């Protein structure tokens, strides 16, 4: 896992962005990851996949990823190039799927940070120090550290590379 | 400890647990369907590409599979997913595979109780977010993504953070125009769609005690819409009687301690609740049905794991008996066994005579996949559990969520209608 991430922000200022919007129901039969990426965020912004470059960040409102357990959601987003999502909170299955599948990082930030970051900003995220630098605005923010087990799964690159610890 | 903590302590070999503890838990039952199953297959094949040879899974007898989301096969891709699923269950010796068109099959969260696939005190995970439903049987039941399910298939274990429990007591005498759906919509409206994030929603009180198993399942089903990790109801004689009709497999129920700690306790007087509807585009966007009186509709949908159990069909049929629907109305029993019981009780006749179409069990239009999706601008009243933009079809369609009684009453008038306003 690269400890320093750098990319541009795509911001959607909306709470409760659900999995039906991230990847609509008819695409659930698709299991080709590249194909899924073409429909990422289709319910909110059909142009989303074209806008994203490898390594970019998604910044959204609270309770991101609520709704279904479809792992298609983090897969589709990660395949567009998104490396991390910054939000005040995440829905639980989306959070687990993102981490356990090793697709992208769900990073919790506080409301104030969420408000300060704008669409198009360049960010640098230092995972070792839980610090976010806004290169465009020359500001620094804190991120909520990952809980210990989550940090270890992230480190391992996903749950598959992780042995049960009981 | 609460019932959830008791079950998780037992499954993780711990004396005591507290909310916030991270554990690896043994799993008793695992479910996947024609959407999560192919995801699991993909994870397996990726491991194999990396040189991990997988010729067996942890315990094929604890795994069960159904075909529900895209059956009858919506198109070629869906057909191939089902074939892949059959090959998988055959290869790994999974015997409990409920197949479309081959006797009993249906929506996963319906088979789990109809077929007694999950028993009180067990830890049950499924590759579907509404796995929470089965917590009404007194089990710890939580939904997971397909990587987690693949992990469970290999290891028989998975990690959980022990959730805090929110307790909801529903007291009083249930009026005959209300259903469990009205209660859970009211609760979600009150606490919000992230009001129970990462937590357990437990239900108790006089009303819950007297609810049938099927009605209890409606409460736990929609805990997912409040973000809960699991929904749960302590098993009692109602649960045991229901199971006795279906299985003689042994189980060890768990019960919460009398001094169990709840993060919050909510008490509802049932008499204060009215037939309730969630407006587009959120299950938490509620109001009372009478408030929406006159809202024009294009379709009424009675289907899904939430609202097409036998009792849901019975209540809808009571309202529809001898009446005619004014808008397109679809009834899809949630499993073949329920279809059969509805047939024997004469419910299917009532629906067809009222002018509705009765379809095969499927998730179909509930998740906007196939079999009657909504077109641009169409408005639907539905017994399902979600009404996000595009959930049941076009992003510019609209879905109102309501109880089977409200949906049936609305089918008759073509407008959103309180069931009290159509009685003879
Ligand atoms: S009926 Fe709807 S909510 Fe239930 S499992 Fe199927 S798609 Fe999900």
């Amino acid at each position: 896992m690269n400890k320093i991430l750098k990319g541009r922000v795509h911001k959607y200022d909306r709470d409760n962005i659900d999995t039906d919007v991230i990847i609509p129901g008819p695409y659930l039969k698709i299991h080709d990851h590249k194909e899924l990426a073409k429909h990422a965020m289709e319910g909110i912004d059909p142009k989303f996949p074209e806008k994203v470059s490898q390594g970019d960040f998604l910044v959204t409102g609270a309770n991101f990823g609520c709704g279904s357990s479809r792992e298609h959601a983090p897969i589709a987003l990660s395949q567009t190039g998104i490396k991390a999502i910054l939000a005040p909170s995440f829905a639980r299955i989306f959070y687990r799927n993102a981490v356990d599948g090793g697709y992208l990082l769900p990073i919790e930030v506080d409301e104030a940070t969420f408000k300060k970051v704008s669409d198009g900003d360049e960010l640098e995220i230092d995972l070792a120090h839980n610090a976010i630098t806004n290169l465009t605005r020359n500001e620094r923010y804190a991120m909520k550290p990952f809980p210990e087990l989550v940090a270890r799964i992230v480190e391992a690159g996903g749950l598959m590379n992780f042995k049960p610890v009981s | 400890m609460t019932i959830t903590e008791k079950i998780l302590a037992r499954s993780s070999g711990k004396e005591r647990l507290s909310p916030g503890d991270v554990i690896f838990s043994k799993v008793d039952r695992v479910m996947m369907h024609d959407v999560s199953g192919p995801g699991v297959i993909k994870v397996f094949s990726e491991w194999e590409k990396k040189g991990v040879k997988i010729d067996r899974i942890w315990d094929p007898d604890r795994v069960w599979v159904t075909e529900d989301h895209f059956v009858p096969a919506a198109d070629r891709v869906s057909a191939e997913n089902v074939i892949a699923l059959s090959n998988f269950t055959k290869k790994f010796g999974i015997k409990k595979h409920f197949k479309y068109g081959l006797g009993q099959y249906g929506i996963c969260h319906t088979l789990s109780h109809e077929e007694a696939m999950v028993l009180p005190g067990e830890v049950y995970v499924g590759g579907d977010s509404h796995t929470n439903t089965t917590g009404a049987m007194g089990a710890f039941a939580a939904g997971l993504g397909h990587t987690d399910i693949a992990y469970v298939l290999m290891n028989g274990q998975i990690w959980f953070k022990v959730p805090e429990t929110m307790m909801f007591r529903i007291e009083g005498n249930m009026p005959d125009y209300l259903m469990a759906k009205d209660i859970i919509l009211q609760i979600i409206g009150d606490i919000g769609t992230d009001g129970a994030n990462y937590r357990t929603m437990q239900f108790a009180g006089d009303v819950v005690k007297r609810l049938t198993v099927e009605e209890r399942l409606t409460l736990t089903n929609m805990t997912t819409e409040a973000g809960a990790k699991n929904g749960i109801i302590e098993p009692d004689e109602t649960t045991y009687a229901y199971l006795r009709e279906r299985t003689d497999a042994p189980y060890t129920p768990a019960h919460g301690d009398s001094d169990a700690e709840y993060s919050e306790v909510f008490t509802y007087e049932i008499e204060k609740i009215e037939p309730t509807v969630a407006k587009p585009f959120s299950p938490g966007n509620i109001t009372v049905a009478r408030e929406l009186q006159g809202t024009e509709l294009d379709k009424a949908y009675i289907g899904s794991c939430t609202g097409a159990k036998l009792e849901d069909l019975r209540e809808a049929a009571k309202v529809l008996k001898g009446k005619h629907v004014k808008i397109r109305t679809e009834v899809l029993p949630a499993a073949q066994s329920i279809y059969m019981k509805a047939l024997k009780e004469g419910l299917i006749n009532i629906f067809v005579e009222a002018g509705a179409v009765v379809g095969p069990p499927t998730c179909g239009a509930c998740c906007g996949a196939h079999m009657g999706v909504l077109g641009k601008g169409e408005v639907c009243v539905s017994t399902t559990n979600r009404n996000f933009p595009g959930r049941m079809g076009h992003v510019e369609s609209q879905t109102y969520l309501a109880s089977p009684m409200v949906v049936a009453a609305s089918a008759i008038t073509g407008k959103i209608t309180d069931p009290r306003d159509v009685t003879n």
Side-chain angles (χ1 to χ4, degrees):
Chain A
M1 177 87 228
N2 193 346
K3 295 268 182 195
I4 305 261
L5 307 176
K6 205 166 150 180
R8 209 158 46 87
V9 166
H10 302 271
K11 183 165 177 176
Y12 293 86
D13 190 355
R14 186 157 134 184
D15 291 345
N16 301 311
I17 293 180
D18 63 85
T19 53
D20 280 298
V21 166
I22 301 169
I23 184 88
Y27 305 122
L28 295 185
K29 61 187 174 231
I30 298 172
H31 289 276
D32 179 84
H33 292 184
K34 294 246 147 37
E35 188 60 33
L36 284 172
K38 293 184 193 158
H39 305 288
M41 301 289 271
E42 193 168 289
I44 201 171
D45 180 3
K47 295 221 164 62
F48 181 80
E50 301 161 29
K51 293 181 181 166
V52 177
S53 308
Q54 196 59 35
D56 281 357
F57 306 122
L58 179 61
V59 176
T60 85
N63 201 26
F64 183 81
C66 61
S68 95
S69 61
R70 60 191 72 165
E71 205 159 308
H72 306 56
I75 291 172
L77 289 169
S78 73
Q79 288 288 321
T80 62
I82 295 288
K83 276 281 167 292
I85 303 175
L86 280 65
S89 65
F90 292 88
R92 66 165 279 271
I93 305 185
F94 182 89
Y95 186 95
R96 285 192 81 105
N97 285 346
V99 169
D100 287 357
Y103 304 115
L104 43 75
L105 298 178
I107 294 178
E108 285 181 25
V109 294
D110 58 22
E111 240 352 280
T113 302
F114 167 73
K115 291 211 176 90
K116 282 183 196 152
V117 177
S118 299
D119 196 42
D121 284 1
E122 281 275 327
L123 300 186
E124 189 175 276
I125 302 179
D126 180 350
L127 293 172
H129 299 96
N130 297 309
I132 302 169
T133 308
N134 189 329
L135 301 172
T136 309
R137 286 165 206 282
N138 212 357
E139 291 173 346
R140 271 171 79 83
Y141 323 114
M143 60 175 257
K144 198 167 155 198
F146 292 115
E148 196 208 326
L149 178 73
V150 171
R152 281 158 59 203
I153 297 170
V154 166
E155 189 71 34
L159 189 62
M160 283 317 170
N161 310 318
F162 199 83
K163 289 258 170 315
V165 287
S166 72
Chain B
M1 287 192 286
T2 65
I3 175 173
T4 297
E5 289 155 8
K6 283 272 192 75
I7 295 173
L8 291 177
R10 193 154 82 190
S11 67
S12 61
K14 301 251 185 337
E15 279 288 312
R16 276 206 74 81
L17 278 183
S18 304
D21 290 353
V22 176
I23 54 160
F24 261 86
S25 163
K26 287 203 182 67
V27 170
D28 296 298
R29 312 277 169 168
V30 59
M31 178 280 293
M32 55 188 197
H33 51 46
D34 59 341
V35 169
S36 49
V40 169
I41 295 169
K42 177 124 185 156
V43 173
F44 272 33
S45 73
E46 270 158 23
W47 286 348
E48 291 194 322
K49 270 190 234 150
K50 287 185 199 152
V52 187
K53 197 167 159 2
I54 308 170
D55 44 22
R56 53 178 293 275
I57 55 171
W58 137 81
D59 189 348
D61 293 337
R62 293 187 174 274
V63 184
W64 64 281
V65 174
T66 188
E67 298 163 6
D68 55 9
H69 278 64
F70 287 90
V71 293
D75 52 24
R76 279 195 226 163
V77 180
S78 314
E80 278 149 25
N81 281 341
V82 167
I83 295 170
L85 203 54
S86 285
N87 292 340
F88 184 88
T89 52
K90 205 162 140 203
K91 174 172 174 192
F92 291 107
I94 298 166
K95 289 182 217 83
K96 295 206 182 70
H97 181 162
F98 299 97
K99 295 185 177 191
Y100 167 79
L102 209 59
Q104 173 71 315
Y105 87 98
I107 301 170
C108 50
H109 313 304
T110 305
L111 294 177
S112 66
H113 54 92
E114 273 287 286
E115 292 294 316
M117 300 309 297
V118 179
L119 301 169
E122 293 187 338
V123 172
Y124 166 52
V125 295
D128 192 280
S129 63
H130 289 101
T131 301
N132 293 24
T133 312
T134 312
M137 306 304 294
F140 174 82
L144 298 174
H146 59 238
T147 295
D148 283 352
I149 295 294
Y151 191 83
V152 174
L153 290 185
M154 294 298 294
N155 301 295
Q157 302 188 33
I158 192 70
W159 68 274
F160 289 114
K161 190 160 132 195
V162 178
E164 291 179 336
T165 296
M166 301 164 84
M167 168 61 94
F168 296 84
R169 293 189 192 284
I170 327 292
E171 307 289 358
N173 283 309
M174 185 96 161
D176 59 5
Y177 51 82
L178 283 187
M179 296 188 71
K181 183 70 172 278
D182 300 300
I183 302 174
I184 191 66
L185 286 174
Q186 179 67 49
I187 292 175
I188 298 166
D190 290 344
I191 67 171
T193 50
D194 58 357
N197 262 8
Y198 304 102
R199 296 196 269 176
T200 301
M201 290 172 77
Q202 184 172 340
F203 303 91
D206 285 345
V207 170
V208 177
K209 211 178 291 165
R210 286 192 292 264
L211 284 182
T212 59
V213 163
E214 286 199 344
E215 278 281 88
R216 292 176 183 184
L217 287 151
T218 305
L219 296 178
T220 44
N221 178 276
M222 288 194 71
T223 60
T224 305
E225 275 53 61
K229 172 168 291 179
N230 67 311
I232 201 161
I233 295 171
E234 297 244 359
D236 59 9
E237 194 41 45
T238 304
T239 327
Y240 306 141
Y242 180 92
L243 285 168
R244 273 197 298 275
E245 285 173 20
R246 291 167 169 79
T247 183
D248 49 19
Y251 54 86
T252 316
H255 293 282
D257 297 321
S258 54
D259 62 352
E261 282 175 33
Y262 301 99
S263 63
E264 277 171 283
V265 178
F266 299 80
T267 304
Y268 283 85
E269 300 297 329
I270 191 74
E271 287 84 2
K272 293 199 182 131
I273 296 179
E274 292 213 26
T276 299
V277 175
K279 297 177 281 181
F281 290 99
S282 164
N285 191 15
I286 62 159
T287 187
V288 298
R290 279 180 174 161
E291 191 63 41
L292 293 170
Q293 213 169 353
T295 305
E296 301 265 357
L297 300 163
D298 298 294
K299 159 167 162 165
Y301 188 78
I302 299 172
S304 87
C305 54
T306 328
K309 301 176 260 57
L310 185 62
E311 216 169 314
D312 299 316
L313 302 184
R314 278 185 189 144
E315 294 302 323
K318 264 189 220 159
V319 178
L320 282 168
K321 189 165 184 180
K323 301 265 181 13
H324 285 278
V325 297
K326 230 187 195 152
I327 46 170
R328 189 165 89 237
T329 302
E330 297 165 7
V331 182
L332 292 90
Q336 281 294 92
S337 54
I338 288 175
Y339 200 137
M340 197 120 79
K341 288 175 209 168
L343 204 56
K344 286 194 182 133
E345 290 185 16
L347 311 181
I348 302 293
N349 274 355
I350 294 174
F351 296 132
V352 178
E353 279 164 15
V357 66
V358 179
T362 179
C363 292
C366 168
C367 57
H370 66 126
M371 293 273 293
V373 298
L374 299 172
K376 187 173 176 176
E378 283 197 306
V379 184
C380 172
V381 64
S382 174
T383 66
T384 55
N385 50 30
R386 285 191 180 132
N387 59 350
F388 303 132
R391 169 68 181 184
M392 296 188 78
H394 196 279
V395 262
E396 286 172 39
S397 62
Q398 296 182 23
T399 296
Y400 290 82
L401 305 174
S403 78
M405 280 177 147
V406 170
V407 173
S410 306
I412 295 166
T413 61
K415 295 174 183 148
I416 291 185
T417 304
D418 186 308
R420 285 170 293 185
D421 300 333
V422 291
T423 41
N424 301 315

